[in-house]
Amino acid sequence: MISTYRVQLTPDLGFADVAELTGYLRELGVGAVYLSPILQAVPESGHGYDVTDHTAVRAEFGGLPALRDLAARGLPLVADVVPNHMTVPVPESRNAPLWAALRDGPASPYARWFDVEWPVALPVLGDETGDGNGGLSADGSVLRCHEHEFPIRPGTERLPLAELLAAQHYRLVSWRDSPGYRRFFDVSSLIGLRVEDPEVYDATHAVILSLLDQGVLQGLRVDHPDGLADPRGYLKRLRPRVPGPLWVEKILIDGERLPENWRCDGTTGYDALNMVTRLFVDPASEDQLVKTFARHTGVIEDYETVRREAKRHVIDLFFRGEVDRLVAAMTGRVEESGLREAVVELLTAMPVYRAYVDPGEPPSTESIRVVRRAAREAARHTDPGPVARAADLVLYGPAEAVTRFQQTCGPVMAKGVEDTALYRWYPLAALNEVGGEPDRFGVSVGEFHEFCATLPPRTMTTLSTHDTKRSEDVRARLAVLSEMPDEWALAVDSWAAEVFFDPRLDYLGWQTLMASWPITPERFTKYLLKAAREAKTAISWQNREPGYESGIRRFAQEAIDVCGESVAAFTAVVDRYARVNSLGQKAVQLLMPGIPDVYQGNEITDFSLVDPDNRRPVDFRARRALLAEILTPGTRPDTWDGQKLLVTTTALRLRRRLDPEASYTPVEAGEHAVAFSRGDEALVVATRLPVALERRGGWGSETLMLPPGRWRDLLTEWEYTGRVPMGHLLSRYPVAILGR
């Protein structure tokens, strides 16, 4: 497989619609279509991770016949699979296995499917009791609670309501309480599956494995493997059944690598995304940007402090039940003084999403190092004795304790960092990405080359996904601010003097408004509402405050009405350089080691924000027309859209003849360019830090020594050999893609 194109299937974009796109994608140069989850989910779902039925291909997309028709179009298909969880739908009867388990309890053959404690606490009761029964009523074999419905245990149907409730295999509790089951992060509507059980694995994977066996699917992307009890065992079992690539949605923190014993081709590319982003950020501006951020927000703490406070906050807010269950697994429900607080601090201090300790096996040197490092940090905040005890139990304790600690680390990292800290500390929001570190301002060309040298040849690389906080072109604009921090400070000072609301939110709003311009008040408002709820400093998803949310709506509208003209003028200046970053990061990502993915629509400029904004419909008709224009002989586009599409299709077509195992060789190109060759077939040169380049007067006498032989720039058709002046090589476009 040479490349992929990610398509977000929705009830409005099904298999037949994707089939109609295959001609365009083939012309673009795409090697495979990469589909969001295809199994039956909640009918109205726009993402598909809320699976209700593992035995059916999703009807809203056209079902199995339409999927087969899509496969028959000739482009290989890769599908996103969700082994960690399925949905707790409303009404709950939509999930037949869960319904049977709740009805029949531990004796049900489906009880082993779910990671639960019996009787299962179900957080569905509202804050208002309403009538005397709190909205509860028994209706034959069904218990109803407003829009919810639950099965009544056979033989208890005629009991008085209070006795009936006590007789069930579940307990209805407040929506604010922790559920009696492992869930996906803090999402109580997604219940954890015990896919480590062979019977559960077989039942939940039968359709997917059949599609692989029949050649309908060629590869898989595994969602959230860190949530599994045994990701290594899961991948070991799955790998022989997958003829093509097997990727894992694994978030690697800077410098972290996948365990060598995970049988997969690599990650879904957040590690590459963050390195490419940093390559186009100037680290010299760090102090100025942090000072501007602090001046506007009042946040004076460093990122590590904010990060720690955010993780501790979400543990207290969301994960009390998970911690209780973990501590009980450690001690056999015998209380040990200080152990619970030690576990909380150890979870808070963990620097990665998983420690990779396998029950019953000696922990690796790296696992010991990570846990001991976290223990040293945790001991600074609570009694060191219980912390040492907790660390020992995490490494050498009962199997359930070891596993549950692994499964709790990921949710704490995801909710504490991705969905809290990154919305509280954002001097340069381009760095606030999944798996990113917003206090690491940029990398050198040398560091980037070192990173590429370690990449598995068939790992996925990407710049945008359905989970990114902002699209690649939004980040390309924001990266320019690292080269003009003084101009940015003056601009944002002027806007903030005109329109203001909450200092902790406004500064993120101004970065977002500029980087996504033009944007409607509706889209801008939705982003700010989500950002405020994720930050959890004034409101949250659990605690809405109508007055504050009205203030956000007023700010969004007034910022555009009052400052829109000035924002547009500033963005126009930024775009002279953002285009350079956009084309450069695209060329680098598409030709660096790994299998490149293009997220739907991002073959041209896209200024989407966090989901669901990045799942908006894509205008493929316009992209198809522009591609036809670009592929007309002699055409040389001069718009940003046209140039990005030219870079994308040129790089993807070059990948067709490039062996994924082709060597990666850095080429010396000076401070303002990154260059590398892939085997003897391809060479990429991309401009970086364009503002500073312009200020110094351009390329001057700088040259680049090409590897031996004659090369042709596939973007311009110009031919080169030997030593080439940079000013000539990059005179038409800020990037060059050379082939033989």
Side-chain angles (χ1 to χ4, degrees):
M1 193 163 291
I2 56 171
S3 64
T4 60
Y5 188 97
R6 169 78 177 201
V7 176
Q8 287 297 116
L9 297 163
T10 71
D12 297 320
L13 184 74
F15 298 134
D17 301 299
V18 179
E20 291 301 311
L21 293 175
T22 53
Y24 162 71
L25 297 178
R26 190 175 285 106
E27 281 290 296
L28 186 63
V30 169
V33 179
Y34 165 26
L35 301 171
S36 59
I38 63 172
L39 295 182
Q40 186 60 52
V42 174
E44 60 272 16
S45 175
H47 51 78
Y49 292 97
D50 40 5
V51 175
T52 58
D53 184 358
H54 290 87
T55 69
V57 174
R58 192 166 169 187
E60 293 77 22
F61 300 161
L64 182 57
L67 178 61
R68 291 187 185 279
D69 290 344
L70 171 58
R73 294 297 182 104
L75 274 179
L77 302 181
V78 174
D80 197 341
V81 294
V82 191
N84 176 65
H85 57 267
M86 63 188 306
T87 195
V88 182
V90 179
E92 287 72 6
S93 55
R94 287 178 172 178
N95 185 333
L98 179 61
W99 185 267
L102 293 176
R103 181 189 63 217
D104 300 328
S108 168
Y110 289 104
R112 66 194 304 167
W113 276 47
F114 304 103
D115 191 351
V116 304
E117 287 188 312
W118 298 100
V120 187
L122 301 175
V124 298
L125 299 179
D127 294 329
E128 301 297 328
T129 57
D131 58 41
N133 292 327
L136 292 168
S137 64
D139 181 9
S141 61
V142 176
L143 175 67
R144 304 191 188 279
C145 178
H146 301 297
E147 69 273 23
H148 299 278
E149 58 185 37
F150 306 99
I152 292 177
R153 184 177 180 175
T156 68
E157 296 90 345
R158 298 184 180 278
L159 293 174
L161 184 60
E163 294 179 32
L164 182 148
L165 289 172
Q168 302 311 306
H169 294 294
Y170 50 84
R171 297 182 297 113
L172 304 186
V173 300
S174 168
W175 69 276
R176 297 179 183 274
D177 290 346
S178 295
Y181 49 84
R182 180 174 59 82
R183 53 190 167 168
F184 175 76
F185 297 163
D186 64 328
V187 185
S188 294
S189 61
L190 296 173
I191 184 170
L193 287 170
R194 296 186 63 253
V195 76
E196 66 273 17
D197 185 309
E199 289 188 23
V200 179
Y201 173 93
D202 289 341
T204 56
H205 286 68
V207 168
I208 291 293
L209 295 177
S210 174
L211 294 171
L212 289 164
D213 291 343
Q214 296 169 34
V216 176
L217 299 179
Q218 297 295 318
L220 297 178
R221 177 260 198 196
V222 176
D223 181 66
H224 188 45
D226 280 343
L228 303 178
D230 180 17
R232 181 186 67 177
Y234 174 80
L235 293 170
K236 181 180 179 181
R237 186 170 189 180
L238 186 60
R239 172 75 272 185
R241 303 293 297 274
V242 183
L246 177 58
W247 292 302
V248 292
E249 189 224 8
K250 169 64 186 154
I251 310 304
L252 299 174
I253 303 302
D254 195 38
E256 186 185 8
R257 294 288 178 263
L258 274 178
E260 293 182 0
N261 58 15
W262 280 25
R263 294 188 60 187
C264 62
D265 291 290
T267 75
T268 51
Y270 285 103
D271 46 347
L273 179 156
N274 284 298
M275 284 298 290
V276 173
T277 295
R278 293 188 195 119
L279 182 62
F280 293 88
V281 170
D282 187 352
S285 67
E286 177 177 357
D287 288 345
Q288 286 175 273
L289 288 172
V290 171
K291 287 176 182 177
T292 302
F293 164 73
R295 179 163 55 81
H296 276 271
T297 64
V299 178
I300 59 173
E301 295 87 359
D302 63 11
Y303 174 64
E304 280 305 315
T305 299
V306 171
R307 182 177 180 268
R308 181 188 179 279
E309 290 174 352
K311 290 182 72 176
R312 180 63 198 244
H313 184 187
V314 301
I315 292 174
D316 294 340
L317 188 64
F318 299 129
F319 299 120
R320 296 185 303 274
E322 283 81 355
V323 171
D324 290 343
R325 200 171 177 191
L326 171 57
V327 173
M330 287 177 162
T331 64
R333 302 188 182 276
V334 176
E335 286 192 21
E336 291 190 27
S337 177
L339 186 63
R340 190 185 190 282
E341 178 66 15
V343 168
V344 168
E345 290 295 349
L346 190 61
L347 286 166
T348 301
M350 280 293 291
V352 293
Y353 281 68
R354 194 177 180 103
Y356 311 110
V357 182
D358 296 300
E361 299 180 12
S364 69
T365 301
E366 178 62 13
S367 296
I368 294 172
R369 186 192 69 80
V370 168
V371 173
R372 296 300 185 201
R373 171 187 165 190
R376 287 193 297 272
E377 172 61 24
R380 296 176 57 238
H381 303 283
T382 191
D383 188 343
V387 170
R389 168 74 170 147
D392 283 343
L393 288 167
V394 165
L395 292 168
Y396 308 106
E400 184 182 358
V402 172
T403 297
R404 291 211 177 279
F405 184 81
Q406 306 291 312
Q407 291 177 299
T408 308
C409 282
V412 170
M413 281 288 286
K415 297 306 299 180
V417 178
E418 289 180 35
D419 293 342
T420 305
L422 295 188
Y423 289 95
R424 294 181 178 183
W425 203 90
Y426 42 84
L428 184 64
L431 303 172
N432 289 46
E433 200 45 82
V434 178
E437 294 174 285
D439 59 344
R440 186 178 179 191
F441 283 73
V443 297
S444 68
V445 172
E447 289 174 300
F448 179 76
H449 288 320
E450 290 174 4
F451 170 79
C452 287
T454 68
L455 279 178
R458 287 179 170 79
T459 193
M460 180 179 281
T461 69
T462 190
L463 289 178
S464 300
T465 79
H466 61 289
D467 277 333
T468 42
K469 302 299 183 185
R470 48 195 58 81
S471 72
E472 61 204 58
D473 292 317
V474 170
R475 295 197 307 276
R477 280 175 165 173
L478 290 168
V480 175
L481 303 185
S482 72
E483 293 200 81
M484 41 193 299
D486 293 331
E487 294 88 338
W488 165 247
L490 289 173
V492 77
D493 286 351
S494 69
W495 303 332
E498 295 284 339
V499 181
F500 48 86
F501 170 57
D502 180 348
R504 293 169 297 183
L505 181 65
D506 294 1
Y507 190 66
L508 180 60
W510 293 120
Q511 289 188 64
T512 303
L513 184 61
M514 185 283 295
S516 60
W517 189 266
I519 186 172
T520 64
E522 180 184 23
R523 283 182 59 213
F524 191 34
T525 297
K526 287 180 178 179
Y527 174 80
L528 291 174
L529 285 169
K530 180 165 185 172
R533 291 165 182 162
E534 298 285 29
K536 308 170 190 65
T537 53
I539 58 172
S540 68
W541 294 104
Q542 292 72 29
N543 294 293
R544 312 285 181 89
E545 206 288 288
Y548 186 91
E549 296 190 359
S550 294
I552 287 178
R553 293 184 177 90
R554 286 194 301 272
F555 173 84
Q557 185 69 59
E558 290 177 10
I560 292 173
D561 290 345
V562 176
C563 302
E565 186 175 338
S566 175
V567 171
F570 186 85
T571 304
V573 174
V574 166
D575 280 354
R576 290 165 48 194
Y577 313 104
R579 179 179 66 91
V580 177
N581 292 340
S582 170
L583 302 184
Q585 65 185 9
K586 199 69 173 177
V588 168
Q589 179 252 329
L590 292 176
L591 287 162
M592 67 192 287
I595 306 300
D597 176 59
V598 176
Y599 183 67
Q600 61 175 30
N602 280 257
E603 59 269 34
I604 67 171
T605 58
D606 179 87
F607 300 102
S608 295
L609 302 172
V610 70
D611 71 278
D613 194 66
N614 58 17
R615 294 199 301 267
R616 289 173 298 141
V618 174
D619 186 349
F620 285 108
R621 179 174 297 179
R623 285 160 175 79
R624 192 192 303 265
L626 184 56
L627 181 62
E629 178 184 331
I630 284 172
L631 295 179
T632 302
T635 301
R636 290 293 174 261
D638 56 9
T639 65
W640 188 350
D641 278 344
Q643 291 179 2
K644 188 177 181 188
L645 186 57
L646 175 63
V647 167
T648 301
T649 190
T650 300
L652 289 176
R653 288 170 172 231
L654 181 56
R655 291 293 309 216
R656 287 174 172 169
R657 63 176 193 260
L658 187 64
D659 186 340
E661 303 275 353
S663 61
Y664 176 91
T665 305
V667 176
E668 176 57 42
E671 178 186 2
H672 288 285
V674 57
F676 56 85
S677 64
R678 298 298 312 280
D680 295 324
E681 295 290 328
L683 191 148
V684 180
V685 185
T687 305
R688 60 187 293 268
L689 308 183
V691 178
L693 176 64
E694 180 181 83
R695 287 173 177 168
R696 77 170 199 182
W699 292 109
S701 60
E702 279 196 52
T703 61
L704 181 139
M705 187 64 191
L706 297 175
R710 182 167 294 277
W711 295 86
R712 180 167 58 93
D713 186 349
L714 304 178
L715 301 175
T716 64
E717 301 298 332
W718 297 343
E719 292 192 353
Y720 301 96
T721 186
R723 187 170 295 279
V724 182
M726 292 288 280
H728 180 63
L729 179 66
L730 302 175
S731 61
R732 185 184 289 274
Y733 303 120
V735 300
I737 299 175
L738 287 79
R740 296 293 191 180

